[in-house]
Amino acid sequence: MLIIAALCFVGWLPSLAAIAFGIVLLKFGFILSRREWYQTTVIKHVAVLETLAAVLFLGLSAIALLPAYASAAVQSL
């Protein structure tokens, strides 16, 4: 998370892209901290976790990659 924050602060990574990568890191940290649960739970719970993380990452990445004029319009909402 520190590396992502540093890249965002320097300006090499847009803020929405940094948030998207943060979501992926949070999911990875959640899985590592709850490894036993992740390995033994019903597949439905794993599928929900993976799907939500993927949809959030995809949506934030897509908005971050919009051209500057469209991205500014979306961020002003």
Side-chain angles (χ1 to χ4, degrees), residues 5-27:
L7 289 174
C8 185
F9 181 73
V10 172
W12 292 351
L13 189 64
S15 59
L16 286 174
I19 293 170
F21 283 116
I23 288 172
V24 171
L25 287 178
L26 285 174
K27 182 194 83 155

Side-chain angles (χ1 to χ4, degrees):
M1 289 296 257
L2 217 52
I3 294 172
I4 293 173
L7 289 174
C8 185
F9 181 73
V10 172
W12 292 351
L13 189 64
S15 59
L16 286 174
I19 293 170
F21 283 116
I23 288 172
V24 171
L25 287 178
L26 285 174
K27 182 194 83 155
F28 185 67
F30 176 79
I31 290 171
L32 285 180
S33 68
R34 308 246 192 272
R35 189 172 141 196
E36 182 66 30
W37 171 85
Y38 190 77
Q39 292 174 343
T40 59
T41 192
V42 181
I43 191 67
K44 176 185 173 185
H45 297 147
V46 174
V48 167
L49 174 69
E50 296 291 339
T51 302
L52 287 175
V55 168
L56 283 172
F57 179 79
L58 176 68
L60 288 171
S61 297
I63 292 171
L65 294 175
L66 286 174
Y69 63 92
S71 182
V74 170
Q75 288 179 353
S76 67
L77 296 176

